[in-house]
Amino acid sequence: MSLRIACVGEAMIELAISGNTAGVGVAGDTLNAAVYLTRANPDLQVDYITCLGDDPFSLQIRDFIENQGIGCDNISILPGRTPGLYAITTSPEGERSFTYWRETAAARSLFAGPGEADFSVLAGYDVVYLSGITIAILPHPVRLALIDWLVQSDVHVVFDSNFRPRLWEDTATARTITTLLWACADIALPSVDDEMDLFGETHEQVRQRFAELGVRGALKQGADGPASLGEPVSQNYPPARNVVDTTAAGDSFNGAYLGAVLAGATQADALMAAHLCASEVVGIRGAITPRVQE
């Protein structure tokens, strides 16, 4: 029986603005990771866990997820609600900026029960993949209840802090919750820049903190290549041949790394596969590379 993986988070509608027109797409950090995880290891059963509305844009999101070979059976449909939306605009100098409309998105109702939070949707999965964005959009009591559920369950937790300050009520809360999640993570996939921003640490202090934590995973360091967590690995990582757009570089790394690890790859091979995947992704515009034709 194949491993069951739940990728949990928010899938959004993306508007790529060009002059007076906009291209409409689908995006989301844990969704991006789910796509690359599915491609890296097709033997896995990868499901996406989120809440959507019953509007045409929600249907577009669901169709996109299904077309990527990702399970949709545990996506909750909330009548009358809508997904989050964001727009990408580009300055004359080529700098990209993002404007978000997500405060009332359906995904913020993840795990909402008639009384207490309900995590039964996660029961039966072998692995749960979460990010800091997933956690930040939840009400604080639900965050705490989710962490308690994860600690008490047998599920393996994969976490990427993916720190976005605007989603959190304050930095102190983000630090507290992120620290709790690092403590219960079986595989940690932090980015050094996010950890430096969140905890006010130097690069070396971030590396030392994760070394003391003893968790397996990878510390993403951009073009420098990843640092291995939990197992010493010494190897050189080739630079990306062409950097066009860094969107989803970290998400694709996470998906490829997790796919390799769950296929039984060595730590060194998993890190290299993830780095090469991310290097390919930064060479195209957008989050998702075209599928390679068989």
Side-chain angles (χ1 to χ4, degrees):
M1 182 181 295
S2 61
L3 290 174
R4 300 188 67 213
I5 319 298
C7 295
V8 186
E10 180 182 23
M12 305 178 69
I13 288 293
E14 175 189 84
L15 300 180
I17 308 299
S18 177
N20 294 322
T21 64
V24 180
V26 175
D29 66 330
T30 56
L31 177 55
N32 297 335
V35 170
Y36 289 103
L37 171 58
T38 302
R39 293 183 182 182
N41 191 338
D43 292 331
L44 299 172
Q45 179 183 334
V46 180
D47 291 349
Y48 198 65
I49 311 295
T50 192
C51 295
L52 296 172
D54 54 358
D55 61 293
F57 290 111
S58 291
L59 179 60
Q60 179 177 340
I61 290 173
R62 195 183 191 284
D63 287 346
F64 172 85
I65 295 171
E66 191 169 44
N67 289 338
Q68 296 298 320
I70 298 167
C72 297
D73 288 348
N74 285 324
I75 294 177
S76 297
I77 303 301
L78 307 181
R81 300 288 295 276
T82 56
L85 176 147
Y86 73 97
I88 304 172
T89 53
T90 307
S91 72
E93 295 74 32
E95 291 295 325
R96 287 154 53 96
S97 60
F98 301 84
T99 306
Y100 291 89
W101 297 266
R102 69 197 310 180
E103 290 78 7
T104 60
R108 290 181 176 264
S109 296
L110 264 167
F111 309 122
E116 297 180 349
D118 181 5
F119 305 106
S120 59
V121 69
L122 300 179
Y125 285 100
D126 301 292
V127 178
V128 171
Y129 174 84
L130 304 160
S131 79
I133 292 176
T134 308
I135 305 302
I137 65 172
L138 299 176
H140 191 63
V142 177
R143 296 172 187 154
L144 296 175
L146 174 59
I147 293 170
D148 286 342
W149 187 91
L150 293 171
V151 169
Q152 295 172 27
S153 74
D154 294 328
V155 71
H156 284 72
V157 178
V158 182
F159 183 60
D160 176 0
S161 54
N162 218 354
F163 178 51
R164 299 294 181 269
R166 290 185 180 181
L167 292 179
W168 292 92
E169 49 269 57
D170 54 67
T171 301
T173 301
R175 286 176 180 168
T176 298
I177 296 298
T178 301
T179 298
L180 291 172
L181 280 158
W182 286 137
C184 71
D186 296 283
I187 295 179
L189 295 169
S191 294
V192 68
D193 290 342
D194 286 344
E195 293 296 303
M196 290 169 65
D197 289 345
L198 177 54
F199 290 95
E201 296 174 333
T202 65
H203 191 141
E204 184 54 39
Q205 285 173 327
V206 171
R207 293 183 60 144
Q208 182 61 34
R209 173 161 53 87
F210 279 96
E212 293 172 357
L213 191 60
V215 66
R216 181 184 185 183
L219 178 64
K220 301 187 291 289
Q221 303 175 126
D224 292 335
S228 178
L229 300 179
E231 177 184 335
V233 171
S234 179
Q235 60 185 356
N236 295 320
Y237 298 95
R241 288 173 295 180
N242 186 34
V243 179
V244 174
D245 181 358
T246 59
T247 300
D251 305 332
S252 60
F253 181 101
N254 293 353
Y257 174 85
L258 185 57
V261 166
L262 295 179
T266 65
Q267 175 75 339
D269 286 348
L271 292 170
M272 184 61 73
H275 175 79
L276 293 177
C277 179
S279 296
E280 179 183 354
V281 170
V282 300
I284 59 104
R285 293 205 178 275
I288 308 299
T289 59
R291 282 195 181 98
V292 177
Q293 297 299 317
E294 298 295 337

